[in-house]
Every structure is written in structure tokens, then in C-alpha cells.
Amino acid sequence: MVRAQSRVIVKEKIKNDQEEACTLDGAVDRHGRPAIKRRTGTWIAGILILVNQGLATLAFFGVGVNLVLFLTRVVGQNNADAANNVSKWTGTVYIFSLLGAFLSDSYWGRYKTCAIFQAIFVIGLVSLSVSSYAFLLKPSGCGDEGNPCGSHSSLHMALFYLSIYLTALGNGGYQPNIATFGADQFDEEDPKEGHSKIAFFSYFYLALNLGSLFSNTILGYFEDEGMWALGFWASAGSATMALILFLIGTPRYRHFKPTGNPLSRICQVVVAATRKWKVQISDDDHDLLFYERDGIKQTSQNGARNILHTQGFKFLDKAAVITRKSDNDKNNGGDGENIDMRNPWVLCTVTQVEEVKCILRLLPIWLCTILYSVVFTQMASLFVEQGAAMKTNISTFHIPPASMSSFDILSVAAFIFIYRRVLDPLVERLTRKSGTRGFTELQRMGVGLVIAIMAMISAGVVEIFRLKYSIKDCNSCESKASTLSIFWQIPQYVLIGASEVFMYVGQLEFFNGQAPDGLKSFGSALCMTSISLGNYVSSLLVTIVMKISTRPGWIPGNLNKGHLDRFYFLLAALTTADLFIYIICARWYKYIKFEERTVGDNAHDIIDQCV
């Protein structure tokens, strides 16, 4: 009887311990205590973040997807200027992602950064809605295809640009952090949660695209018909709902404490290596490993892990070399804590050095993704203008050119399913004998570049046929300038969607996985800034092409007089060259290697806090 009761007590204790077990990756709850698995994170928090992302994306694309038409019909800009301004604005959105990532990794943490920038996002959208309704949409009822608006004062235009760039600041600062914050909700040291963490990035990108589906179809239709104020107010309402939903999940979230200013750590490595430029490094790297072991304690307080030493960039290794003076101090009975040990501008840890190496290795891969973003950004600018110059009616129903991007979204949803459920398991079975497991992130990004080339070729061919069926007596029209149906654009949108699944989802996983623990938001920001620079490069290319091509240029107001097909083929050629450079960089890249997480000297305190 006593033995049976003892078994029951033991089982209950084991069950309670399992229920109160902490995460193994060093995550904490909102009070700064070690996060308990059962009470925090996992898919409950993950789904809240996915829905939040969907609503925020709906709000953002409710403005962005038709901004090029707003600039032409309401503000009065021509096609080339409108396309350039949209590219600059979209690029600025993603430039602000660097600011958000810096504040998140250094000082605020991901939760606080997401909340603050989402609030700015809401303010920008409300301001845009008010300024458009009160000042820009004059005379009343203007803004549709056949009824452009009048001129606007400098003050009204300044308020408009302030509003859209506040929107850019809010969305840009929020985007890289919400992806990483969502991944934080899964303990990668737990096999089941680790698998969920990988799946989260695919579902995150799917949520992003499903959110834009509504804005590209329903909101896009209303805005194309001139109901801009309604569309902007709907975006503001969606962003407000996203912020409220995000705040509701506060008790459930897991957090990682910020690790301090990464710029100072990087500068310390460069300065320390420069000061020791005469130091010789031994072949077995014993000095480097020795310092890391004695000079830094691994804890589970912020989830940071030591990074193992790698070959390459030998000059930077000198920053972690313990000088002979330090060794002599220890041999003479001293504590070894001389000025070198205490001064991070003289002696850095191996982990610090490897952080800098990691960033240097990521940069060539990142640079190769910029040209892909040039291709991607055409979907929000030139694809829309090309579609507007085609037959957009089915009987009496008008198809907004911007709504064609819904085929891109459907393609993304389909190819995420095909990749995760069909292609990746198939490749894994085929390559199992060689010791690999499916596509690597770098391989997926390469496939994305190949599909992007196909998309540009498809767009160029469609443009050739659009010109072939152009309306000959349409000398001044800027829309419906061809009898070719807009549905011939479907292949280029589908190919862009397929390439996104391989490129952008692969990028999110790659940069998040390869970034050091203290720079995870920076890793996601690299993905965003590649889109940013892609928009700027696209704007630059359009400007150069318009200046060097014979008048009226490749992309005039009346596309029937231009050669948009040549621009698409130019992008295909540039992306092909970029693919070859990318293959070289991918073969050169060395993956980061972390030490296994260990619990430090405060292990018993952490266990007591959990149970």
C-alpha cells in the first residue's frame, strides 16, 4: 500500500516537473524569469503573431499596391516618375528595418520594438487617410481612371509625404522583428518545437501573402474605382486591429534579452586586431580557444551561445590572442586579469571575432539577393502599368491591374504546400545516401534566382504580344492600349510567386539561422534591406534606361510607343549574371558553428524558479 502511494507521488511529481519545465534556449517570460514551456510560446503565441502579420500586411499593401496609380491619378505624376517614387518609398520602408533591428538587438528587445513601431504605423495610416480625404481628393469624386484630380498645394503634398513615410517608418521598423519574435516562441533545443520553428517561417510568409490578398483584390478594386479614402481607412482599421491583437498576447510571449550595442562589439574587434597587427598566431589556434574558455561564461540568461572558431579572416583572429604579458602574469602567480583581460578594446573573445566574420561572410550572399529584389519590385510598378495598358474587361466587369498580384499570392500559397509536403521530402529521400537532408537554404535561394529569370522572360514575351495587338490609333492613351487580355500576365505573376517561396522564405531561414544569437533581428533585416536596395536599384535602372534610350524611351507614358519588353529582357540578363556570381559566393560560404547550450553556475537557481 505504501509502495503504491509512493509510485503515485513520484508520478505526480514527474508530471508536475514536466508541466513546469523551462525552455532550454534561455528564453524568459515578460517578468524576466525563465520561460515555462507550458505557459508561454509555442503555436498559441505563434498563431497570434501570424494573424497580426496578416492584418498588418493587409494594411500596408492597402496603401502600397495601388500607390503607383494614386500618384498618377490623384497627385498627377507620369508613369516613370510614379514608378520611381514607389520604388523609393518601398525601399525606404525596408531601410527602416535596419533601425528597428538595431534598437531591438541592442536596447529595447523584440516585443517593445514591435509594439512601438506598430503604433507609429497606425498613426501614419490615420494621417494618410485624413490628408487624402480632406485635401487631395478634390474635386469630390476624382481619382478614378477617367477623372484625375486637380493640383495640390505644397503644404498638402508635404502632409501626404509625411504620412506615407511615417507609414514606411512604422512598417519598416516592425517587419524584421516580428518574424524573429515569432521564431523566438519555439525552443530550438526541443526537437518538436525546433521543427515548428522551421515551419513557422513558411507560414509567416504565407500569412504575409494572404494578408495582401484582400488588399490586392477587394481594396484594390475600390481604390481603382476612385474610393481611395475608403481603402486607406480600411488599412488604418486593419493596422489598429493588428496592434490590439499583438498586445493581447503579451502574457504568452517568450523573450530574449537584448545583448547590447553590436556596433561597439564589432569596432572592438577591428581596433583590437589593428593594435596587435604584429602578433603571430599559432597554427593550432590554442591561444584563441584558451581565452574564450576562461574569459566568458555561458549562461542561459539571454540564450546567447559561444561561436566556435573558424578558419579565414586571420587578421581578425589577432583580436582574441592573449599576449605574452598576460601569460607571464599568470605564471608569476598573478590573477591574469591585466589590462588586456579587462579592456575589450585590446582583447576580445573568439565569439566576438566570429560575429564579425559571420557578418563578412553573409554580405556577399546578401549582395547577390539585391538583383532578385529588382525583379520582385516590378510586380508593384511596371507589371501594374503593363496590365493597365491591356484589355482589362470581362464583359462589363473591370479588372483592376493591381489585383493581378493575387495570382502571385495564390502561387506562393500553392508552392509553400508543394515544397513542404512534396518537393522537400522527395529531395530528402533522394539525397539521404549522400548524407544531406533536402535542399539547403543556399540551394533554395539559387532556385529562386533561376525562376526569377524565367519570370522576366515571360513578362518580356507578353509585352511583345501586347505591342503586336496594340491599338494603332491610340496615340495618347495610357490605359487599355491593347486588345491583348490582362490574363496573359498570369504566368509572370505565378513564376514570381514560386521564386519568392524559394528565395524569400529561404532568406528568412538562412539569415535567421546564420546570424549570431545577439544579431537575430539584424539577420531578418538583411532580408528586408535587400528588398530595399532592390527598389533603389530598380529606380536607378529606370532612370538610366530612360536617359540613354532613344525618345520616347523604353518606358514612356504611352507604352505603345515604348519597348518595355527590352527592359524585362535586360533584367533577365542581369539576373543571369547575378546567378553565376551567387553560385561562386555560395560555394565559398562557411556555415556558422555554435557551441551547445549549457546551463551556467546559476543552474539550481533557474530550476528553482521554474519548479
PDB file of all heavy atoms in Angstrom, residues 58 94 243 418 477 491 504:
ATOM      1  N   LEU A  58      -2.088  43.380 -44.726  1.00  0.00           N
ATOM      2  CA  LEU A  58      -3.272  43.906 -45.400  1.00  0.00           C
ATOM      3  C   LEU A  58      -3.255  45.436 -45.372  1.00  0.00           C
ATOM      4  O   LEU A  58      -3.516  46.090 -46.387  1.00  0.00           O
ATOM      5  CB  LEU A  58      -4.525  43.370 -44.714  1.00  0.00           C
ATOM      6  CG  LEU A  58      -5.903  43.659 -45.332  1.00  0.00           C
ATOM      7  CD1 LEU A  58      -6.910  42.617 -44.857  1.00  0.00           C
ATOM      8  CD2 LEU A  58      -6.422  45.050 -44.980  1.00  0.00           C
ATOM      9  N   TYR A  94      12.077  49.402 -46.164  1.00  0.00           N
ATOM     10  CA  TYR A  94      12.984  48.340 -45.744  1.00  0.00           C
ATOM     11  C   TYR A  94      14.303  48.863 -45.202  1.00  0.00           C
ATOM     12  O   TYR A  94      14.979  48.174 -44.440  1.00  0.00           O
ATOM     13  CB  TYR A  94      13.186  47.366 -46.907  1.00  0.00           C
ATOM     14  CG  TYR A  94      11.899  46.686 -47.296  1.00  0.00           C
ATOM     15  CD1 TYR A  94      11.298  46.909 -48.526  1.00  0.00           C
ATOM     16  CD2 TYR A  94      11.250  45.839 -46.398  1.00  0.00           C
ATOM     17  CE1 TYR A  94      10.106  46.292 -48.864  1.00  0.00           C
ATOM     18  CE2 TYR A  94      10.053  45.226 -46.729  1.00  0.00           C
ATOM     19  CZ  TYR A  94       9.488  45.451 -47.955  1.00  0.00           C
ATOM     20  OH  TYR A  94       8.295  44.852 -48.276  1.00  0.00           O
ATOM     21  N   LEU A 243      -2.428  45.725 -34.010  1.00  0.00           N
ATOM     22  CA  LEU A 243      -1.749  46.180 -32.789  1.00  0.00           C
ATOM     23  C   LEU A 243      -2.463  45.669 -31.546  1.00  0.00           C
ATOM     24  O   LEU A 243      -1.815  45.195 -30.601  1.00  0.00           O
ATOM     25  CB  LEU A 243      -1.689  47.709 -32.785  1.00  0.00           C
ATOM     26  CG  LEU A 243      -1.096  48.365 -31.529  1.00  0.00           C
ATOM     27  CD1 LEU A 243       0.334  47.875 -31.288  1.00  0.00           C
ATOM     28  CD2 LEU A 243      -1.132  49.893 -31.646  1.00  0.00           C
ATOM     29  N   ILE A 418       3.488  22.751 -51.884  1.00  0.00           N
ATOM     30  CA  ILE A 418       4.206  21.806 -52.741  1.00  0.00           C
ATOM     31  C   ILE A 418       5.624  21.572 -52.218  1.00  0.00           C
ATOM     32  O   ILE A 418       6.105  20.433 -52.181  1.00  0.00           O
ATOM     33  CB  ILE A 418       4.245  22.331 -54.195  1.00  0.00           C
ATOM     34  CG1 ILE A 418       2.841  22.302 -54.804  1.00  0.00           C
ATOM     35  CG2 ILE A 418       5.200  21.495 -55.053  1.00  0.00           C
ATOM     36  CD1 ILE A 418       2.734  23.008 -56.138  1.00  0.00           C
ATOM     37  N   CYS A 477      -3.316  57.554 -75.439  1.00  0.00           N
ATOM     38  CA  CYS A 477      -3.907  56.867 -74.281  1.00  0.00           C
ATOM     39  C   CYS A 477      -2.822  56.174 -73.467  1.00  0.00           C
ATOM     40  O   CYS A 477      -1.795  55.752 -73.987  1.00  0.00           O
ATOM     41  CB  CYS A 477      -4.963  55.862 -74.712  1.00  0.00           C
ATOM     42  SG  CYS A 477      -4.343  54.558 -75.786  1.00  0.00           S
ATOM     43  N   PRO A 491       1.156  34.002 -66.092  1.00  0.00           N
ATOM     44  CA  PRO A 491       2.402  33.228 -65.935  1.00  0.00           C
ATOM     45  C   PRO A 491       3.514  33.988 -65.232  1.00  0.00           C
ATOM     46  O   PRO A 491       4.225  33.417 -64.385  1.00  0.00           O
ATOM     47  CB  PRO A 491       2.782  32.886 -67.391  1.00  0.00           C
ATOM     48  CG  PRO A 491       1.483  32.887 -68.127  1.00  0.00           C
ATOM     49  CD  PRO A 491       0.685  33.974 -67.496  1.00  0.00           C
ATOM     50  N   TYR A 504      12.744  34.158 -50.791  1.00  0.00           N
ATOM     51  CA  TYR A 504      12.499  34.932 -49.577  1.00  0.00           C
ATOM     52  C   TYR A 504      12.304  34.058 -48.344  1.00  0.00           C
ATOM     53  O   TYR A 504      12.785  34.400 -47.258  1.00  0.00           O
ATOM     54  CB  TYR A 504      11.307  35.870 -49.773  1.00  0.00           C
ATOM     55  CG  TYR A 504      11.657  37.104 -50.581  1.00  0.00           C
ATOM     56  CD1 TYR A 504      10.763  37.653 -51.476  1.00  0.00           C
ATOM     57  CD2 TYR A 504      12.899  37.711 -50.444  1.00  0.00           C
ATOM     58  CE1 TYR A 504      11.087  38.776 -52.224  1.00  0.00           C
ATOM     59  CE2 TYR A 504      13.238  38.830 -51.180  1.00  0.00           C
ATOM     60  CZ  TYR A 504      12.329  39.359 -52.076  1.00  0.00           C
ATOM     61  OH  TYR A 504      12.666  40.466 -52.805  1.00  0.00           O
TER      62      TYR A 504
END
